[in-house]
Amino acid sequence: MDIDRLPVQLEFFNQIRASLPSHETLVDVVADILRVSNDSAYRRIRGETPISFDEIGKLSRHFKVSVDKLLNVKADSYIFNGKLANTQDHILDKWLENVLAQFEFMRSYPGCKLYYLAKDLPLAHFFQIPELAAFKFFFWQKSILQYDEMRGSRFEIGQIDPTCKMLSEKIVATYNSISTIEIWNAESVNSTIRQIEFYRDSDIFYSKSELLMMWDIMEELINHLERQAECGLKFAFGQHPQPGMASYEMFNNELILGNNTVFADFGSFKLTFLNHSVINYISTQDDRFNNYMYAGIENMIRKSEQLNNVNEKGRLSFFNRLRHKIYDARKTN
């Protein structure tokens, strides 16, 4: 047996094991991907049989394991994975399917805790109310992805693709089942407010009733999030909290505005999702990067005001500031 090879091969399978959903077994998945027997898969996992370069390639691509990291190549670099939304080969419903898959993966680990550093409203909250989801889908397709068919179009609040609507509802239900800590700033609502104002000033709303409804919906969403913060639980818009629901912690950080980073702590491993180009994310499972990120998040939490449960004064003050921003924007209609 090659003693020098053994620690690297064992660590390779340890990383794969850490990324497996709780309902899957390592030996079954490895045997299926490599098309070998379970006994042969066991021998590779235990290091008794060396894995070939071809097998390393198949497993690392499937599980997104960094071979560079295992071999200590370029210790100052990090391997990220991600898909790019575009108008050619990655339409909106495919992007939503990817978002849903990430949340479903987190939900498959009962002990997973999700951290969200909110520069904007956390992504799933846009989908709490169908009319707000319709607005965000329209905005992303027209102003970010610049779909050709959206040129000259105006926003009608009832127009929403059925598939996107179904996927957004699943995203909300899945997100609401994951214990979450969100770190906000009063500026976190600004970008959505400015998007509504821009479409108002550009005469892109089909009618004034659509515009007024968007302001109503924004306030309703803020009220809903305030109720979640008050009881410390996540629940669907228009519903009531029930025992056993996922926990919800909310913090206000006056010093730092988040960057829409999403951090998932699975216990045995961690994942960081970095936001870029408005709606895209890249992710890494690199231990050194994630430990650094986790330490930074803990520091942000220590310097933030918790808005949950007993802090009625701080919570009321924070959410009143958000409502006042919406009120000020609405006055100029």
Side-chain angles (χ1 to χ4, degrees):
M1 181 183 298
D2 185 349
I3 301 299
D4 291 336
R5 168 192 55 78
L6 182 57
V8 176
Q9 183 166 325
L10 294 178
E11 176 59 23
F12 181 64
F13 282 109
N14 282 338
Q15 288 194 32
I16 292 174
R17 182 183 287 108
S19 66
L20 275 179
S22 57
H23 64 277
E24 294 183 353
T25 59
L26 178 62
V27 65
D28 290 338
V29 177
V30 170
D32 183 58
I33 293 171
L34 299 184
R35 296 186 178 181
V36 298
S37 67
N38 277 29
D39 183 61
S40 294
Y42 268 125
R43 289 200 298 271
R44 286 164 172 78
I45 293 168
R46 291 194 295 258
E48 297 169 2
T49 298
I51 53 176
S52 67
F53 283 114
D54 181 59
E55 291 172 337
I56 291 173
K58 290 178 181 178
L59 293 170
S60 62
R61 284 192 296 271
H62 182 86
F63 293 103
K64 298 180 174 59
V65 172
S66 168
V67 178
D68 284 357
K69 175 187 168 185
L70 288 168
L71 300 177
N72 292 317
V73 177
K74 291 186 178 180
D76 59 345
S77 65
Y78 307 99
I79 304 298
F80 282 84
N81 301 286
K83 295 182 179 180
L84 300 175
N86 58 68
T87 58
Q88 286 74 43
D89 57 8
H90 198 72
I91 56 179
L92 188 60
D93 59 346
K94 298 301 181 185
W95 176 80
L96 290 169
E97 286 174 358
N98 184 57
V99 172
L100 176 60
Q102 298 293 350
F103 284 141
E104 287 178 335
F105 179 69
M106 296 174 196
R107 184 176 62 180
S108 70
Y109 285 80
C112 177
K113 178 164 283 190
L114 185 63
Y115 298 80
Y116 207 117
L117 311 185
K119 177 181 179 181
D120 307 318
L121 289 171
L123 183 64
H125 294 326
F126 290 131
F127 307 148
Q128 296 271 8
I129 305 174
E131 292 83 1
L132 179 57
F135 176 79
K136 296 304 292 191
F137 293 152
F138 182 90
F139 172 76
W140 289 332
Q141 291 176 96
K142 182 178 179 66
S143 299
I144 304 303
L145 300 174
Q146 299 183 45
Y147 282 28
D148 288 338
E149 62 270 26
M150 303 295 287
R151 291 179 180 176
S153 59
R154 303 173 77 188
F155 175 66
E156 294 186 67
I157 209 157
Q159 291 186 348
I160 182 170
D161 180 82
T163 300
C164 291
K165 183 175 184 294
M166 178 269 293
L167 288 169
S168 66
E169 290 170 349
K170 287 186 176 181
I171 288 171
V172 171
T174 307
Y175 183 76
N176 282 348
S177 68
I178 304 167
S179 295
T180 302
I181 296 175
E182 294 178 355
I183 304 173
W184 284 52
N185 181 292
E187 308 300 309
S188 298
V189 297
N190 285 3
S191 63
T192 301
I193 289 175
R194 287 168 183 159
Q195 289 160 15
I196 297 172
E197 289 178 320
F198 178 81
Y199 275 14
R200 175 200 64 200
D201 298 340
S202 304
D203 196 29
I204 293 177
F205 283 101
Y206 185 77
S207 69
K208 189 171 183 178
S209 62
E210 262 94 354
L211 170 61
L212 295 177
M213 188 177 293
M214 290 310 303
W215 295 130
D216 290 339
I217 288 168
M218 283 293 292
E219 188 167 353
E220 289 171 7
L221 178 60
I222 295 304
N223 294 341
H224 170 72
L225 295 174
E226 183 178 24
R227 289 193 293 271
Q228 281 195 163
E230 181 178 3
C231 66
L233 295 171
K234 298 170 84 173
F235 53 94
F237 178 82
Q239 302 299 314
H240 299 284
Q242 301 293 333
M245 289 181 166
S247 64
Y248 180 71
E249 297 179 61
M250 190 176 188
F251 291 84
N252 172 32
N253 190 302
E254 296 287 349
L255 297 175
I256 302 172
L257 180 63
N259 53 6
N260 292 336
T261 294
V262 178
F263 181 86
D265 185 355
F266 295 85
S268 58
F269 69 103
K270 298 175 176 64
L271 274 173
T272 298
F273 297 84
L274 298 182
N275 175 235
H276 69 95
S277 308
V278 183
I279 66 172
N280 291 302
Y281 281 86
I282 54 174
S283 65
T284 185
Q285 202 179 130
D286 186 277
D287 289 336
R288 190 160 58 97
F289 186 94
N290 287 326
N291 290 334
Y292 185 89
M293 179 64 68
Y294 184 61
I297 291 172
E298 286 188 313
N299 182 54
M300 285 186 68
I301 290 175
R302 283 193 296 269
K303 296 178 179 179
S304 301
E305 177 186 24
Q306 186 164 14
L307 303 176
N308 291 96
N309 304 324
V310 297
N311 185 18
E312 183 176 2
K313 180 180 178 181
R315 183 173 61 251
L316 183 62
S317 174
F318 177 75
F319 281 98
N320 278 342
R321 288 173 66 189
L322 301 187
R323 280 186 282 263
H324 193 69
K325 285 175 176 287
I326 297 169
Y327 176 77
D328 284 346
R330 185 174 190 149
K331 284 192 305 184
T332 61
N333 289 339

